[in-house]
mmCIF file with all atom_site columns, all heavy atoms in Angstrom:
data_model
loop_
_atom_site.group_PDB
_atom_site.id
_atom_site.type_symbol
_atom_site.label_atom_id
_atom_site.label_alt_id
_atom_site.label_comp_id
_atom_site.label_asym_id
_atom_site.label_entity_id
_atom_site.label_seq_id
_atom_site.pdbx_PDB_ins_code
_atom_site.Cartn_x
_atom_site.Cartn_y
_atom_site.Cartn_z
_atom_site.occupancy
_atom_site.B_iso_or_equiv
_atom_site.pdbx_formal_charge
_atom_site.auth_seq_id
_atom_site.auth_comp_id
_atom_site.auth_asym_id
_atom_site.auth_atom_id
_atom_site.pdbx_PDB_model_num
ATOM 1   N N   . ILE A 1 9   ? 30.460 55.750 -15.259 1.00 33.00 ? 976  ILE A N   1
ATOM 2   C CA  . ILE A 1 9   ? 31.798 55.333 -15.075 1.00 33.00 ? 976  ILE A CA  1
ATOM 3   C C   . ILE A 1 9   ? 32.221 55.607 -13.534 1.00 33.00 ? 976  ILE A C   1
ATOM 4   O O   . ILE A 1 9   ? 33.114 55.050 -12.929 1.00 33.00 ? 976  ILE A O   1
ATOM 5   C CB  . ILE A 1 9   ? 32.706 55.956 -16.036 1.00 33.00 ? 976  ILE A CB  1
ATOM 6   C CG1 . ILE A 1 9   ? 32.422 55.446 -17.497 1.00 33.00 ? 976  ILE A CG1 1
ATOM 7   C CG2 . ILE A 1 9   ? 34.188 55.649 -15.825 1.00 33.00 ? 976  ILE A CG2 1
ATOM 8   C CD1 . ILE A 1 9   ? 33.071 56.258 -18.606 1.00 33.00 ? 976  ILE A CD1 1
ATOM 9   N N   . ARG A 1 35  ? 15.227 66.830 -22.527 1.00 84.00 ? 1002 ARG A N   1
ATOM 10  C CA  . ARG A 1 35  ? 14.683 67.547 -23.586 1.00 84.00 ? 1002 ARG A CA  1
ATOM 11  C C   . ARG A 1 35  ? 15.290 67.127 -24.978 1.00 84.00 ? 1002 ARG A C   1
ATOM 12  O O   . ARG A 1 35  ? 14.575 66.994 -26.010 1.00 84.00 ? 1002 ARG A O   1
ATOM 13  C CB  . ARG A 1 35  ? 14.858 69.042 -23.459 1.00 84.00 ? 1002 ARG A CB  1
ATOM 14  C CG  . ARG A 1 35  ? 13.711 69.869 -23.026 1.00 84.00 ? 1002 ARG A CG  1
ATOM 15  C CD  . ARG A 1 35  ? 13.841 71.321 -23.243 1.00 84.00 ? 1002 ARG A CD  1
ATOM 16  N NE  . ARG A 1 35  ? 15.098 71.793 -23.011 1.00 84.00 ? 1002 ARG A NE  1
ATOM 17  C CZ  . ARG A 1 35  ? 15.641 72.389 -21.897 1.00 84.00 ? 1002 ARG A CZ  1
ATOM 18  N NH1 . ARG A 1 35  ? 14.804 72.442 -20.889 1.00 84.00 ? 1002 ARG A NH1 1
ATOM 19  N NH2 . ARG A 1 35  ? 16.817 72.786 -21.756 1.00 84.00 ? 1002 ARG A NH2 1
ATOM 20  N N   . ILE A 1 37  ? 16.616 64.284 -25.730 1.00 88.00 ? 1004 ILE A N   1
ATOM 21  C CA  . ILE A 1 37  ? 16.133 62.929 -26.008 1.00 88.00 ? 1004 ILE A CA  1
ATOM 22  C C   . ILE A 1 37  ? 14.696 63.041 -26.679 1.00 88.00 ? 1004 ILE A C   1
ATOM 23  O O   . ILE A 1 37  ? 14.362 62.351 -27.671 1.00 88.00 ? 1004 ILE A O   1
ATOM 24  C CB  . ILE A 1 37  ? 16.065 61.922 -24.760 1.00 88.00 ? 1004 ILE A CB  1
ATOM 25  C CG1 . ILE A 1 37  ? 17.469 61.734 -24.291 1.00 88.00 ? 1004 ILE A CG1 1
ATOM 26  C CG2 . ILE A 1 37  ? 15.337 60.692 -25.067 1.00 88.00 ? 1004 ILE A CG2 1
ATOM 27  C CD1 . ILE A 1 37  ? 17.668 61.152 -22.964 1.00 88.00 ? 1004 ILE A CD1 1
ATOM 28  N N   . TYR A 1 52  ? 24.272 61.893 -30.186 1.00 93.00 ? 1019 TYR A N   1
ATOM 29  C CA  . TYR A 1 52  ? 25.212 61.025 -30.702 1.00 93.00 ? 1019 TYR A CA  1
ATOM 30  C C   . TYR A 1 52  ? 26.663 61.567 -30.342 1.00 93.00 ? 1019 TYR A C   1
ATOM 31  O O   . TYR A 1 52  ? 27.545 60.776 -29.909 1.00 93.00 ? 1019 TYR A O   1
ATOM 32  C CB  . TYR A 1 52  ? 25.056 60.963 -32.268 1.00 93.00 ? 1019 TYR A CB  1
ATOM 33  C CG  . TYR A 1 52  ? 26.186 60.529 -33.057 1.00 93.00 ? 1019 TYR A CG  1
ATOM 34  C CD1 . TYR A 1 52  ? 26.656 59.284 -32.971 1.00 93.00 ? 1019 TYR A CD1 1
ATOM 35  C CD2 . TYR A 1 52  ? 26.745 61.404 -33.885 1.00 93.00 ? 1019 TYR A CD2 1
ATOM 36  C CE1 . TYR A 1 52  ? 27.747 58.803 -33.829 1.00 93.00 ? 1019 TYR A CE1 1
ATOM 37  C CE2 . TYR A 1 52  ? 27.824 61.080 -34.682 1.00 93.00 ? 1019 TYR A CE2 1
ATOM 38  C CZ  . TYR A 1 52  ? 28.396 59.817 -34.684 1.00 93.00 ? 1019 TYR A CZ  1
ATOM 39  O OH  . TYR A 1 52  ? 29.391 59.490 -35.442 1.00 93.00 ? 1019 TYR A OH  1
ATOM 40  N N   . ARG A 1 56  ? 29.051 59.251 -28.166 1.00 93.00 ? 1023 ARG A N   1
ATOM 41  C CA  . ARG A 1 56  ? 29.744 58.232 -29.066 1.00 93.00 ? 1023 ARG A CA  1
ATOM 42  C C   . ARG A 1 56  ? 31.110 57.787 -28.525 1.00 93.00 ? 1023 ARG A C   1
ATOM 43  O O   . ARG A 1 56  ? 31.392 56.617 -28.770 1.00 93.00 ? 1023 ARG A O   1
ATOM 44  C CB  . ARG A 1 56  ? 29.924 58.990 -30.419 1.00 93.00 ? 1023 ARG A CB  1
ATOM 45  C CG  . ARG A 1 56  ? 30.888 60.180 -30.478 1.00 93.00 ? 1023 ARG A CG  1
ATOM 46  C CD  . ARG A 1 56  ? 30.836 60.769 -31.840 1.00 93.00 ? 1023 ARG A CD  1
ATOM 47  N NE  . ARG A 1 56  ? 31.920 61.851 -31.870 1.00 93.00 ? 1023 ARG A NE  1
ATOM 48  C CZ  . ARG A 1 56  ? 32.067 62.612 -33.045 1.00 93.00 ? 1023 ARG A CZ  1
ATOM 49  N NH1 . ARG A 1 56  ? 31.390 62.463 -34.077 1.00 93.00 ? 1023 ARG A NH1 1
ATOM 50  N NH2 . ARG A 1 56  ? 33.048 63.539 -33.061 1.00 93.00 ? 1023 ARG A NH2 1
ATOM 51  N N   . ALA A 1 57  ? 31.841 58.552 -27.882 1.00 92.00 ? 1024 ALA A N   1
ATOM 52  C CA  . ALA A 1 57  ? 33.145 58.086 -27.304 1.00 92.00 ? 1024 ALA A CA  1
ATOM 53  C C   . ALA A 1 57  ? 32.907 57.036 -26.245 1.00 92.00 ? 1024 ALA A C   1
ATOM 54  O O   . ALA A 1 57  ? 33.644 55.968 -26.269 1.00 92.00 ? 1024 ALA A O   1
ATOM 55  C CB  . ALA A 1 57  ? 33.875 59.274 -26.791 1.00 92.00 ? 1024 ALA A CB  1
ATOM 56  N N   . PHE A 1 81  ? 24.254 53.254 -33.150 1.00 94.00 ? 1048 PHE A N   1
ATOM 57  C CA  . PHE A 1 81  ? 23.547 54.439 -33.242 1.00 94.00 ? 1048 PHE A CA  1
ATOM 58  C C   . PHE A 1 81  ? 22.307 54.429 -34.240 1.00 94.00 ? 1048 PHE A C   1
ATOM 59  O O   . PHE A 1 81  ? 21.375 55.182 -34.098 1.00 94.00 ? 1048 PHE A O   1
ATOM 60  C CB  . PHE A 1 81  ? 24.485 55.659 -33.485 1.00 94.00 ? 1048 PHE A CB  1
ATOM 61  C CG  . PHE A 1 81  ? 25.229 56.078 -32.295 1.00 94.00 ? 1048 PHE A CG  1
ATOM 62  C CD1 . PHE A 1 81  ? 26.619 55.692 -32.137 1.00 94.00 ? 1048 PHE A CD1 1
ATOM 63  C CD2 . PHE A 1 81  ? 24.682 56.911 -31.299 1.00 94.00 ? 1048 PHE A CD2 1
ATOM 64  C CE1 . PHE A 1 81  ? 27.167 55.991 -30.927 1.00 94.00 ? 1048 PHE A CE1 1
ATOM 65  C CE2 . PHE A 1 81  ? 25.326 57.210 -30.145 1.00 94.00 ? 1048 PHE A CE2 1
ATOM 66  C CZ  . PHE A 1 81  ? 26.633 56.774 -29.996 1.00 94.00 ? 1048 PHE A CZ  1
ATOM 67  N N   . VAL A 1 84  ? 19.763 53.001 -32.000 1.00 93.00 ? 1051 VAL A N   1
ATOM 68  C CA  . VAL A 1 84  ? 19.331 54.107 -31.110 1.00 93.00 ? 1051 VAL A CA  1
ATOM 69  C C   . VAL A 1 84  ? 18.388 54.964 -31.786 1.00 93.00 ? 1051 VAL A C   1
ATOM 70  O O   . VAL A 1 84  ? 17.259 55.314 -31.301 1.00 93.00 ? 1051 VAL A O   1
ATOM 71  C CB  . VAL A 1 84  ? 20.590 54.918 -30.589 1.00 93.00 ? 1051 VAL A CB  1
ATOM 72  C CG1 . VAL A 1 84  ? 20.111 56.151 -29.815 1.00 93.00 ? 1051 VAL A CG1 1
ATOM 73  C CG2 . VAL A 1 84  ? 21.371 54.003 -29.697 1.00 93.00 ? 1051 VAL A CG2 1
ATOM 74  N N   . GLY A 1 93  ? 11.741 56.554 -20.749 1.00 77.00 ? 1060 GLY A N   1
ATOM 75  C CA  . GLY A 1 93  ? 12.356 57.100 -19.584 1.00 77.00 ? 1060 GLY A CA  1
ATOM 76  C C   . GLY A 1 93  ? 12.167 56.544 -18.320 1.00 77.00 ? 1060 GLY A C   1
ATOM 77  O O   . GLY A 1 93  ? 12.375 57.020 -17.207 1.00 77.00 ? 1060 GLY A O   1
ATOM 78  N N   . HIS A 1 102 ? 23.352 51.426 -22.895 1.00 92.00 ? 1069 HIS A N   1
ATOM 79  C CA  . HIS A 1 102 ? 24.149 50.302 -22.661 1.00 92.00 ? 1069 HIS A CA  1
ATOM 80  C C   . HIS A 1 102 ? 23.391 48.997 -23.201 1.00 92.00 ? 1069 HIS A C   1
ATOM 81  O O   . HIS A 1 102 ? 24.050 48.149 -23.803 1.00 92.00 ? 1069 HIS A O   1
ATOM 82  C CB  . HIS A 1 102 ? 24.380 50.069 -21.226 1.00 92.00 ? 1069 HIS A CB  1
ATOM 83  C CG  . HIS A 1 102 ? 25.564 50.779 -20.734 1.00 92.00 ? 1069 HIS A CG  1
ATOM 84  N ND1 . HIS A 1 102 ? 25.396 51.974 -20.071 1.00 92.00 ? 1069 HIS A ND1 1
ATOM 85  C CD2 . HIS A 1 102 ? 26.807 50.473 -20.651 1.00 92.00 ? 1069 HIS A CD2 1
ATOM 86  C CE1 . HIS A 1 102 ? 26.599 52.416 -19.652 1.00 92.00 ? 1069 HIS A CE1 1
ATOM 87  N NE2 . HIS A 1 102 ? 27.589 51.544 -19.992 1.00 92.00 ? 1069 HIS A NE2 1
ATOM 88  N N   . GLU A 1 179 ? 22.182 47.273 -11.827 1.00 90.00 ? 1146 GLU A N   1
ATOM 89  C CA  . GLU A 1 179 ? 21.937 47.827 -13.023 1.00 90.00 ? 1146 GLU A CA  1
ATOM 90  C C   . GLU A 1 179 ? 22.373 46.910 -14.307 1.00 90.00 ? 1146 GLU A C   1
ATOM 91  O O   . GLU A 1 179 ? 21.577 46.983 -15.345 1.00 90.00 ? 1146 GLU A O   1
ATOM 92  C CB  . GLU A 1 179 ? 22.722 49.120 -13.048 1.00 90.00 ? 1146 GLU A CB  1
ATOM 93  C CG  . GLU A 1 179 ? 22.350 50.082 -14.237 1.00 90.00 ? 1146 GLU A CG  1
ATOM 94  C CD  . GLU A 1 179 ? 22.578 51.573 -13.965 1.00 90.00 ? 1146 GLU A CD  1
ATOM 95  O OE1 . GLU A 1 179 ? 23.153 51.856 -12.905 1.00 90.00 ? 1146 GLU A OE1 1
ATOM 96  O OE2 . GLU A 1 179 ? 22.188 52.295 -14.905 1.00 90.00 ? 1146 GLU A OE2 1
ATOM 97  N N   . ARG A 1 200 ? 37.296 34.056 -12.173 1.00 93.00 ? 1167 ARG A N   1
ATOM 98  C CA  . ARG A 1 200 ? 38.162 33.011 -11.884 1.00 93.00 ? 1167 ARG A CA  1
ATOM 99  C C   . ARG A 1 200 ? 38.817 32.515 -13.204 1.00 93.00 ? 1167 ARG A C   1
ATOM 100 O O   . ARG A 1 200 ? 40.018 32.197 -13.211 1.00 93.00 ? 1167 ARG A O   1
ATOM 101 C CB  . ARG A 1 200 ? 37.237 31.821 -11.447 1.00 93.00 ? 1167 ARG A CB  1
ATOM 102 C CG  . ARG A 1 200 ? 37.929 30.842 -10.640 1.00 93.00 ? 1167 ARG A CG  1
ATOM 103 C CD  . ARG A 1 200 ? 37.028 29.951 -9.794  1.00 93.00 ? 1167 ARG A CD  1
ATOM 104 N NE  . ARG A 1 200 ? 36.343 29.023 -10.613 1.00 93.00 ? 1167 ARG A NE  1
ATOM 105 C CZ  . ARG A 1 200 ? 35.657 27.945 -10.114 1.00 93.00 ? 1167 ARG A CZ  1
ATOM 106 N NH1 . ARG A 1 200 ? 35.608 27.783 -8.960  1.00 93.00 ? 1167 ARG A NH1 1
ATOM 107 N NH2 . ARG A 1 200 ? 35.016 27.055 -11.014 1.00 93.00 ? 1167 ARG A NH2 1
ATOM 108 N N   . ARG A 1 207 ? 47.814 33.567 -15.639 1.00 82.00 ? 1174 ARG A N   1
ATOM 109 C CA  . ARG A 1 207 ? 49.029 32.800 -15.273 1.00 82.00 ? 1174 ARG A CA  1
ATOM 110 C C   . ARG A 1 207 ? 49.714 32.277 -16.617 1.00 82.00 ? 1174 ARG A C   1
ATOM 111 O O   . ARG A 1 207 ? 50.864 32.072 -16.669 1.00 82.00 ? 1174 ARG A O   1
ATOM 112 C CB  . ARG A 1 207 ? 48.682 31.626 -14.430 1.00 82.00 ? 1174 ARG A CB  1
ATOM 113 C CG  . ARG A 1 207 ? 48.225 32.020 -13.078 1.00 82.00 ? 1174 ARG A CG  1
ATOM 114 C CD  . ARG A 1 207 ? 48.151 30.800 -12.091 1.00 82.00 ? 1174 ARG A CD  1
ATOM 115 N NE  . ARG A 1 207 ? 47.556 31.114 -10.863 1.00 82.00 ? 1174 ARG A NE  1
ATOM 116 C CZ  . ARG A 1 207 ? 46.237 30.852 -10.618 1.00 82.00 ? 1174 ARG A CZ  1
ATOM 117 N NH1 . ARG A 1 207 ? 45.490 30.315 -11.621 1.00 82.00 ? 1174 ARG A NH1 1
ATOM 118 N NH2 . ARG A 1 207 ? 45.641 31.180 -9.495  1.00 82.00 ? 1174 ARG A NH2 1
ATOM 119 N N   . GLU A 1 209 ? 49.411 33.707 -19.699 1.00 74.00 ? 1176 GLU A N   1
ATOM 120 C CA  . GLU A 1 209 ? 49.676 34.772 -20.665 1.00 74.00 ? 1176 GLU A CA  1
ATOM 121 C C   . GLU A 1 209 ? 51.052 35.256 -20.474 1.00 74.00 ? 1176 GLU A C   1
ATOM 122 O O   . GLU A 1 209 ? 51.408 35.759 -19.468 1.00 74.00 ? 1176 GLU A O   1
ATOM 123 C CB  . GLU A 1 209 ? 48.772 35.882 -20.574 1.00 74.00 ? 1176 GLU A CB  1
ATOM 124 C CG  . GLU A 1 209 ? 48.910 37.090 -21.330 1.00 74.00 ? 1176 GLU A CG  1
ATOM 125 C CD  . GLU A 1 209 ? 48.898 36.885 -22.845 1.00 74.00 ? 1176 GLU A CD  1
ATOM 126 O OE1 . GLU A 1 209 ? 48.015 36.175 -23.351 1.00 74.00 ? 1176 GLU A OE1 1
ATOM 127 O OE2 . GLU A 1 209 ? 49.787 37.464 -23.562 1.00 74.00 ? 1176 GLU A OE2 1
ATOM 128 N N   . PHE A 1 222 ? 44.994 35.276 -5.904  1.00 43.00 ? 1189 PHE A N   1
ATOM 129 C CA  . PHE A 1 222 ? 43.849 35.707 -6.695  1.00 43.00 ? 1189 PHE A CA  1
ATOM 130 C C   . PHE A 1 222 ? 42.732 35.531 -5.708  1.00 43.00 ? 1189 PHE A C   1
ATOM 131 O O   . PHE A 1 222 ? 42.028 34.607 -5.736  1.00 43.00 ? 1189 PHE A O   1
ATOM 132 C CB  . PHE A 1 222 ? 43.660 34.594 -7.881  1.00 43.00 ? 1189 PHE A CB  1
ATOM 133 C CG  . PHE A 1 222 ? 44.869 34.687 -8.844  1.00 43.00 ? 1189 PHE A CG  1
ATOM 134 C CD1 . PHE A 1 222 ? 45.713 33.809 -8.926  1.00 43.00 ? 1189 PHE A CD1 1
ATOM 135 C CD2 . PHE A 1 222 ? 44.873 35.869 -9.712  1.00 43.00 ? 1189 PHE A CD2 1
ATOM 136 C CE1 . PHE A 1 222 ? 46.826 33.892 -9.817  1.00 43.00 ? 1189 PHE A CE1 1
ATOM 137 C CE2 . PHE A 1 222 ? 46.039 35.934 -10.621 1.00 43.00 ? 1189 PHE A CE2 1
ATOM 138 C CZ  . PHE A 1 222 ? 46.962 35.014 -10.656 1.00 43.00 ? 1189 PHE A CZ  1
ATOM 139 N N   . GLY A 1 225 ? 36.083 36.609 -3.306  1.00 46.00 ? 1192 GLY A N   1
ATOM 140 C CA  . GLY A 1 225 ? 35.188 35.534 -2.892  1.00 46.00 ? 1192 GLY A CA  1
ATOM 141 C C   . GLY A 1 225 ? 34.141 35.190 -3.881  1.00 46.00 ? 1192 GLY A C   1
ATOM 142 O O   . GLY A 1 225 ? 33.986 35.845 -4.925  1.00 46.00 ? 1192 GLY A O   1
#
Side-chain angles (χ1 to χ4, degrees):
Chain A
I976 295 170
R1002 256 197 324 265
I1004 292 165
Y1019 156 72
R1023 65 186 187 181
F1048 282 101
V1051 167
H1069 273 99
E1146 191 154 5
R1167 203 165 73 169
R1174 293 191 191 96
E1176 169 64 39
F1189 297 103

